[in-house]
Amino acid sequence: MSDSLENPQAKRLRFPPPRGFASHANADATLYAQASTDRLAFWAQQARDLLSWHKPFTRTLDWSQAPVAKWFDDGEINIAYNCLDRHVETGAGDRVAIHWEGEPGDSREITYAELTADVKKAANVLAGLGVGAGDRVAVYLPMIPEAVVTMLAIARLGAVHSVVFGGFSADSLRSRIDDAEAKVVVTADGGWRKGKVFALKPTVDAAIEEDGGAASVTNVLVVRRGENEVAWKEGRDIWWHDAMAAAETEHVAQGFPAEQPLFILYTSGTTGTPKGILHTSGGYLTQAAYTHKNVFDIKPETDVYWCTADVGWITGHTYVVYGPLANGATQLMFEGTPDAPHPGRWWELIEKYKVSILYTAPTAIRSFMKLGTAIPEKYDLSSIRLLGSVGEPINPAAWIWYRDVIGGGKAPIVDTWWQTETGAIMVSPLPGVTTLKPGSAQTPLPGIQIDILDDDGNHLEQGDAGLLVITEPWPSMLRGIWGNEERYKSAYWEKFGDKYFAGDGARIDDDGDLWLLGRVDDVMNVSGHRLSTAEIESALVSNNIVAEAAVVGAADETTGQAVVAFVILKSEFANDIEPADASATLRKHVADHIGAIARPAKIYIVAELPKTRSGKIMRRLLRDVAEGRPIGDTTTLTDPAVLSIIDAQVH
Ligand code: WT7
């Protein structure tokens, strides 16, 4: 095994399913045959087998209002009932739903019976604050069990959650609260990260109180976690523990239409404004449960499953909350980061909880890889039987390292391609069925249909790189962008009419396996998180010293891409501010405006930017500069000399 991040041989290796694995796997090859015989009947079967319906559906798909799909739409379902009560009713009440580990090392064990009881009370608390079906509730919490309880309580009422990742700034939080007109915000005083408390409540206060924002919010429910001092607004702010202690314990889950909105989750697009991706109930939960069962081969009685994503991202929604709980799985939930208080924390947790299935991101794997094998080798990882990867392409060398060092040289790896918009996994090997190929996400799951097209919409032959499209509607597809139907149509459907344009480049090889080639639009992927160049540029130009800014995603060994900005200062400041000071000020400015995840790794202060005659910034060329590559074709620039000046300034 090579220690380097590159390993050209790895790409050619093949791993057939281990025999012992295949004979016990949830999935088998007949799924593909069933789905291709009658795709809609296949999905209807999954919806009936995996979920409990308050009222059975008779219609599977209504695509007459395309591109807004309706799945199972005459059926009624309660999402929380499916994740909770039914497991208790069928005798699994004592099964652990969540082994929770706090960052400081405190822990809690929550059974399905206990989680159900908490969600019932929380639903009563929210209902008491006036939250009813269709109302929006913003959730701004650390990775604590109350995040799961809150999401399920909202779902139980037929209300809509909008979870905002705890790393986002007050501005980002406010614009999301405003866009969804959230009635209530659920937050915590603070959470734990790297041995310290980070405050959350003050950010909520700032989001609500400054500039007359967030006028829709009537109450803020506050979980005590960090025990940090917080300001309090009587009448508006309510302690979670007080409300829960006073809450009624019984709450009967009522059925809601299958197309009842379940959540809005904001993600970056190609413009400066994030998109509120809307997901609904029955179809979403069907595909969440189906993929969680078959891709992760989950055995609820014996497995301990761990998805390391934060609930603030789609991976946390589908594979921390809805998929595993719908399937009655036992999972680990962890508040902290991989490297605190020591770089073996994750492996220590796997040993402690006997985690058998681990789902994480390539960026994490690559950072562990850099630290070497000695750290994981100190722990007993023999419980691991399956590994998953998500967020960006996993390079073959990292794939091999993951399998050898974490998976004991035997655990299958599922490289899962999907998006916030797709709601659940779309392309992935099936463990026990697929012969694995490092670096490739391989094949669409049974029930999913994809194609690779050229820019004009022509189907491409195997081997040619093109644009990934999804050719048939799927149950967990987004139903739109909150409050902006036009943007939904233009972002995903305008390019190819009846096919969903994912925004990713891809190629299908001679075996029919899919290789993802990264985004083809102005969207960056940093540590598996989606960031928009336009959003960061607009944050930069909102600073008074900036005249113009261009942002690119430059290749980075660990994070996949890193945010690199090229900034022209206003002439009145250009001579007075040291470039290093300007760069530091602006990095902080972006973090304050959007959130720490968007903070540029590098900001270059330059005199000019490369533009075409029509005034468009040539980001492709700036990427060449940022990556230290020979600069590509500059013939369309107004002034080709600009680039050599920038290059000289930067290197
Ligand atoms: C974008 C979606 C879906 C969960 C996390 C990210 C990239 C995601 C893979 C993969 C190659 C991947 C794509 C996609 N991506 N998984 N296995 N191989 N690329 O969700 O923020 O909605 O981003 O992440 O570019 O379009 P997201």
Side-chain angles (χ1 to χ4, degrees), residues 27-315:
D28 66 57
T30 62
L31 284 179
Y32 292 104
Q34 285 170 35
S36 66
T37 307
D38 187 339
R39 191 176 57 89
L40 295 180
F42 174 81
W43 281 122
Q45 187 69 41
Q46 298 303 327
R48 291 186 181 110
D49 288 353
L50 297 170
L51 306 182
S52 303
W53 293 81
H54 270 67
K55 176 176 164 238
F57 60 89
T58 65
R59 284 197 297 263
T60 299
L61 170 68
D62 175 359
W63 192 229
S64 62
Q65 319 276 307
V68 181
K70 288 183 186 159
W71 282 87
F72 318 121
D73 78 312
D74 61 343
E76 284 179 9
I77 191 163
N78 186 290
I79 296 299
Y81 175 83
N82 273 272
C83 294
L84 301 164
D85 312 52
R86 65 166 175 157
H87 303 315
V88 179
E89 288 165 15
T90 54
D94 291 338
R95 186 184 301 157
V96 174
I98 300 175
H99 290 289
W100 177 78
E101 175 96 1
E103 204 268 356
D106 50 337
S107 63
R108 286 165 66 184
E109 189 179 279
I110 304 165
T111 64
Y112 272 94
E114 290 164 339
L115 191 62
T116 306
D118 275 356
V119 170
K120 287 180 176 179
K121 281 196 283 179
N124 287 327
V125 168
L126 290 168
L129 298 177
V131 175
D135 288 338
R136 278 79 58 204
V137 178
V139 180
Y140 189 66
L141 281 168
M143 278 294 278
I144 54 178
E146 287 80 359
V148 179
V149 172
T150 300
M151 290 163 76
L152 291 170
I154 295 165
R156 193 175 185 91
L157 297 170
V160 184
H161 56 70
S162 165
V163 183
V164 179
F165 173 61
F168 278 115
S169 66
D171 279 348
S172 297
L173 177 60
R174 181 195 299 119
S175 63
R176 285 159 173 77
I177 291 173
D178 281 343
D179 186 63
E181 296 172 284
K183 238 184 189 169
V184 170
V185 181
V186 185
T187 189
D189 48 1
W192 284 88
R193 199 186 139 85
K194 296 189 195 269
K196 287 195 209 93
V197 170
F198 66 94
L200 287 167
K201 171 74 163 54
T203 311
V204 174
D205 293 340
I208 298 182
E209 287 159 19
E210 283 167 20
D211 312 331
S216 56
V217 175
T218 52
N219 288 102
V220 179
L221 203 49
V222 188
V223 178
R224 184 141 75 200
R225 167 62 186 154
E227 299 184 6
N228 45 316
E229 282 284 329
V230 290
W232 207 253
K233 190 162 171 193
E234 286 305 327
R236 185 196 70 188
D237 298 345
I238 300 164
W239 282 113
W240 170 276
H241 55 265
D242 289 342
M244 288 290 276
E248 284 287 332
T249 53
E250 205 30 74
H251 184 277
V252 179
Q254 167 198 337
F256 292 98
E259 283 299 334
Q260 181 78 11
L262 176 63
F263 65 86
I264 304 167
L265 184 59
Y266 290 83
T267 189
S268 296
T270 53
T271 71
T273 330
K275 307 182 267 199
I277 303 301
L278 175 66
H279 283 286
T280 61
S281 301
Y284 171 79
L285 198 65
T286 297
Q287 199 172 326
Y290 159 78
T291 52
H292 185 259
K293 174 185 167 192
N294 291 298
V295 174
F296 298 116
D297 191 47
I298 195 80
K299 307 290 195 297
E301 284 87 9
T302 49
D303 276 314
V304 178
Y305 160 89
W306 184 18
C307 166
T308 64
D310 191 282
V311 291
W313 310 111
I314 190 68
T315 309

Side-chain angles (χ1 to χ4, degrees), residues 315 391-393 415-420 504 516 519 525 530:
T315 309
E392 57 172 311
D415 175 1
T416 62
W417 178 89
W418 59 296
Q419 309 179 295
T420 304
D504 280 36
L516 276 309
R519 302 287 306 194
N525 188 328
R530 200 199 295 195

Side-chain angles (χ1 to χ4, degrees), residues 463-498:
D464 291 340
L467 305 172
L468 177 63
V469 295
I470 304 164
T471 58
E472 297 293 342
W474 63 102
S476 65
M477 71 191 293
L478 75 168
R479 301 302 197 263
I481 293 175
W482 184 258
N484 199 341
E485 200 181 321
E486 266 324 295
R487 191 171 179 196
Y488 172 53
K489 290 180 177 159
S490 65
Y492 306 105
W493 301 94
E494 211 162 78
K495 195 163 176 66
F496 298 121
D498 57 347

